[in-house]
């Protein structure tokens, strides 16, 4: 039944006939759990169990879901900049449903109190470069990128402790690896992880395993999507990005400076 509660905002549009089989399952389960005879009226059964008809409960939860999204405003994953339908990016059918719910409650969308902004996302305590240097131009040939990279590191990051990270995924294995001039690691991780998650987790692991205290730290990554996600970090960010952001916040107490640098198509940066 928890599955139905989780998708209540979707299945609340089902008809009574579609929900009827699940109401039967609910009442039978309650009779078995309470040890009551089959002839016990449903209204008595539900009263004794402190329950309500499943279809009514789903609709109540759906109402609660949409009102919660409106109160969350820009913190809701459904939020959009459009002035229509209380700024929720939903299907036309759901827009009409929300309007009908508010009409039944005799209120307007502007009468729903927004939650207070208790969480503020400050700028991450790191610098991220994805397009500042010439070697980050993807259109350049690999030999030129390699030469420009070496020149950039020599000129800009000579006094930095450098860590390089990488992740790979094929049909059978997902793995991560990190290396510095002093140590390295290589692990297999759960194959259900996407390459995006793997590229994020390898940076997390590198910050745990390879970092030295009181240094200027340069982390090299070939994942533009991960570094771009960090640049646009917010409450709506992917959960694994939140994990990495937390690592960065914690690490900021132990290093002098942290820079994440996109290496583009360059490989074997520390060789």
């Amino acid at each position: 039944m928890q599955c139905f509660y989780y998708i209540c905002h979707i299945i609340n549009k089902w008809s009574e006939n579609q929900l009827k089989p699940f109401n039967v399952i609910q009442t039978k389960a309650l009779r078995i759990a309470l040890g009551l005879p089959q002839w016990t009226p449903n209204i008595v059964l539900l009263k004794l169990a402190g329950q309500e008809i499943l279809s009514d409960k789903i609709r109540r939860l759906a109402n609660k879901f949409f009102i919660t999204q409106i109160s969350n405003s820009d913190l809701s994953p459904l939020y959009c900049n459009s002035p229509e339908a209380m700024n929720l990016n939903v299907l036309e059918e759901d827009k009409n449903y929300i309007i009908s719910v508010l009409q039944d409650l005799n209120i307007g969308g502007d009468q729903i109190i927004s939650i207070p902004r208790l969480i503020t996302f400050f700028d991450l305590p790191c610098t991220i470069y994805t397009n500042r240097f010439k070697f980050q131009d993807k259109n350049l040939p690999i030999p030129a990128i390699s030469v420009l990279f070496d020149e950039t590191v020599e000129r800009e990051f000579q006094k930095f402790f450098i860590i390089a990270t990488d992740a790979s995924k094929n049909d059978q294995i997902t793995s991560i690896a990190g290396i510095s001039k002093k140590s390295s690691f290589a692990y297999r991780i759960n194959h259900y992880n996407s390459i995006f998650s793997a590229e994020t987790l390898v940076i997390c692991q590198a910050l745990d395993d390879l970092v030295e205290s009181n240094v200027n730290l340069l982390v090299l990554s070939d994942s533009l999507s991960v570094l771009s996600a960090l640049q646009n970090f917010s409450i709506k960010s992917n959960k694994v990005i939140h994990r990495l952001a937390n690592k960065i916040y914690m690490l900021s107490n132990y290093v002098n400076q942290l820079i994440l640098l996109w290496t583009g198509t360059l490989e074997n940066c520390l060789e």
Side-chain angles (χ1 to χ4, degrees):
M1 290 301 178
Q2 290 300 324
C3 178
F4 294 105
Y5 299 158
Y6 181 74
I7 59 171
C8 63
H9 55 290
I10 299 175
I11 63 176
N12 81 91
K13 295 185 282 291
W14 286 5
S15 66
E16 291 291 342
N17 287 335
Q18 289 174 303
L19 288 171
K20 187 175 180 180
F22 303 108
N23 283 323
V24 172
I25 294 173
Q26 179 195 32
T27 54
K28 282 189 174 294
L30 289 176
R31 285 189 173 88
I32 293 172
L34 297 176
L36 296 174
Q38 290 294 322
W39 49 261
T40 305
N42 286 348
I43 190 171
V44 175
L45 176 68
L46 295 173
K47 184 70 173 179
L48 291 173
Q51 296 290 319
E52 56 189 310
I53 297 174
L54 184 61
S55 57
D56 291 342
K57 185 167 188 175
I58 288 173
R59 289 188 173 85
R60 177 176 59 79
L61 291 172
N63 295 346
K64 179 181 178 181
F65 171 83
F66 284 116
I67 291 175
T68 299
Q69 301 313 308
I70 296 172
S71 67
N72 286 343
S73 60
D74 59 329
L75 297 182
S76 167
L78 301 183
Y79 178 82
C80 65
N81 292 323
S82 170
E84 300 178 2
M86 285 68 71
N87 283 347
L88 294 187
N89 186 20
V90 293
L91 299 174
E92 191 65 33
E93 186 177 359
D94 286 325
K95 289 181 182 179
N96 296 332
Y97 176 77
I98 297 171
I99 292 172
S100 68
V101 168
L102 297 181
Q103 288 176 343
D104 291 340
L105 296 173
N106 196 28
I107 62 172
D110 58 346
Q111 292 177 276
I112 297 177
I113 300 174
S114 296
I115 65 172
R117 297 297 183 265
L118 298 178
I119 302 176
T120 301
F121 285 84
F122 299 98
D123 292 335
L124 290 174
C126 66
T127 304
I128 303 172
Y129 294 131
T130 57
N131 59 3
R132 175 177 174 177
F133 303 105
K134 291 182 179 179
F135 77 87
Q136 294 173 319
D137 184 351
K138 294 185 289 185
N139 297 318
L140 292 175
I142 297 297
I145 291 176
S146 180
V147 171
L148 289 170
F149 173 80
D150 290 340
E151 291 177 352
T152 301
V153 171
E154 181 67 22
R155 183 180 65 253
E156 303 284 345
F157 306 109
Q158 190 175 27
K159 297 182 179 180
F160 279 73
F161 184 81
I162 302 176
I163 293 173
T165 64
D166 194 19
S168 62
K169 184 180 179 73
N170 58 29
D171 293 339
Q172 298 165 332
I173 297 173
T174 303
S175 58
I176 60 175
I179 184 172
S180 72
K181 291 186 180 297
K182 294 187 176 181
S183 59
S184 64
F185 67 83
Y187 304 120
R188 289 185 182 181
I189 62 175
N190 193 309
H191 193 51
Y192 288 110
N193 284 294
S194 65
I195 188 63
F196 176 86
S197 293
E199 292 281 8
T200 309
L201 291 172
V202 70
I203 299 176
C204 291
Q205 194 67 44
L207 297 183
D208 281 340
D209 290 0
L210 305 180
V211 174
E212 295 188 353
S213 299
N214 300 317
V215 297
N216 294 321
L217 179 63
L218 176 66
V219 179
L220 306 177
S221 172
D222 65 352
S223 178
L224 180 59
S225 58
V226 170
L227 298 189
S228 296
L230 273 178
Q231 286 178 320
N232 297 286
F233 176 63
S234 73
I235 194 172
K236 298 181 185 179
S237 295
N238 188 295
K239 182 167 62 175
V240 73
I241 292 296
H242 276 265
R243 178 174 177 177
L244 176 54
N246 184 59
K247 295 280 186 184
I248 291 171
Y249 273 115
M250 294 175 62
L251 186 64
S252 64
N253 297 316
Y254 303 99
V255 298
N256 301 328
Q257 186 179 5
L258 172 58
I259 294 178
L260 292 96
L261 180 67
W262 179 59
T263 59
T265 56
L266 189 65
E267 297 179 351
N268 303 323
C269 296
L270 296 184
E271 289 189 355

